[in-house]
């Protein structure tokens, strides 16, 4: 992994994400990895630890077993890669913790939203993913009443 460039690591990571391959995603994350959702700033919630992230993606992919994730733009530097992406998926299973503390029962709705991920990569492993998504759009598309 140390010979792998940041761009190679993120290309492999986003390919694994497109396949809902959590084991391959995990293999590309550093032990001290954090998943930082910018929308958590409003509630002062800290980033998810590597351990919490191990539970996040399986819960997400279980709720949206048929999905389409694709990167539409990539900007890369030596240790930082930025991707703009689109996610489309049909919510066919309960979406619960650690994604949402109060589980959201399957709605059968198809959600489509865009986001941006900023990845910090050291030695071929992802140290941090800062994730920018419009959570309000996701909630509206799921039919959640706030």
């Amino acid at each position: 992994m140390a010979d792998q460039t940041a761009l190679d690591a993120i290309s492999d990571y986003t390919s694994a994400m497109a396949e809902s391959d959590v084991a391959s995603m995990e293999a590309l994350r550093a032990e001290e990895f954090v998943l930082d959702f910018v929308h958590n700033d409003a509630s002062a919630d800290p980033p998810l630890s590597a351990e919490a992230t191990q539970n996040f993606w399986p819960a997400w992919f279980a709720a949206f077993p048929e999905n389409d994730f694709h990167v539409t733009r990539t900007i890369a530097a030596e240790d930082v890669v930025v991707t703009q992406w689109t996610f489309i998926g049909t919510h066919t299973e309960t979406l619960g913790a650690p994604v949402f503390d109060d589980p959201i029962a399957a709605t059968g709705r198809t959600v489509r939203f865009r986001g941006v991920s900023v990845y910090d990569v050291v030695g071929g492993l992802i140290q941090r993913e800062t994730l920018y998504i419009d959570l309000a759009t996701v909630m509206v598309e799921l039919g959640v009443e706030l």
Side-chain angles (χ1 to χ4, degrees):
M1 299 256 181
D3 294 335
Q4 184 165 292
T5 67
L7 181 58
D8 291 336
I10 300 312
S11 293
D12 290 348
Y13 191 76
T14 56
S15 292
M17 188 174 291
E19 297 297 321
S20 302
D21 181 354
V22 294
S24 293
M25 291 170 65
E26 187 176 329
L28 290 162
R29 296 190 298 251
E31 189 174 315
E32 62 279 359
F33 173 84
V34 294
L35 178 58
D36 184 11
F37 289 97
V38 171
H39 63 259
N40 282 345
D41 289 356
S43 56
D45 289 337
L48 295 181
S49 66
E51 183 178 347
T53 302
Q54 289 174 346
N55 297 320
F56 179 90
W57 290 115
W60 181 264
F61 293 136
F64 298 94
E66 292 187 31
N67 67 73
D68 181 25
F69 171 85
H70 62 275
V71 174
T72 57
R73 177 186 242 182
T74 302
I75 302 168
E78 186 174 339
D79 295 327
V80 177
V81 177
V82 178
T83 61
Q84 182 176 328
W85 46 263
T86 302
F87 177 88
I88 303 168
T90 303
H91 181 213
T92 59
E93 300 294 330
T94 298
L95 184 57
V99 180
F100 292 113
D101 292 331
D102 296 328
I104 300 172
T107 63
R109 290 177 176 229
T110 298
V111 299
R112 180 186 191 281
F113 60 94
R114 296 180 303 147
V116 172
S117 293
V118 179
Y119 299 97
D120 297 301
V121 182
V122 175
L125 294 175
I126 305 166
Q127 306 293 313
R128 177 185 214 66
E129 177 181 2
T130 304
L131 186 60
Y132 295 81
I133 64 169
D134 181 355
L135 185 60
T137 295
V138 175
M139 301 297 272
V140 167
E141 289 194 5
L142 286 173
V144 174
E145 294 186 21
L146 302 175

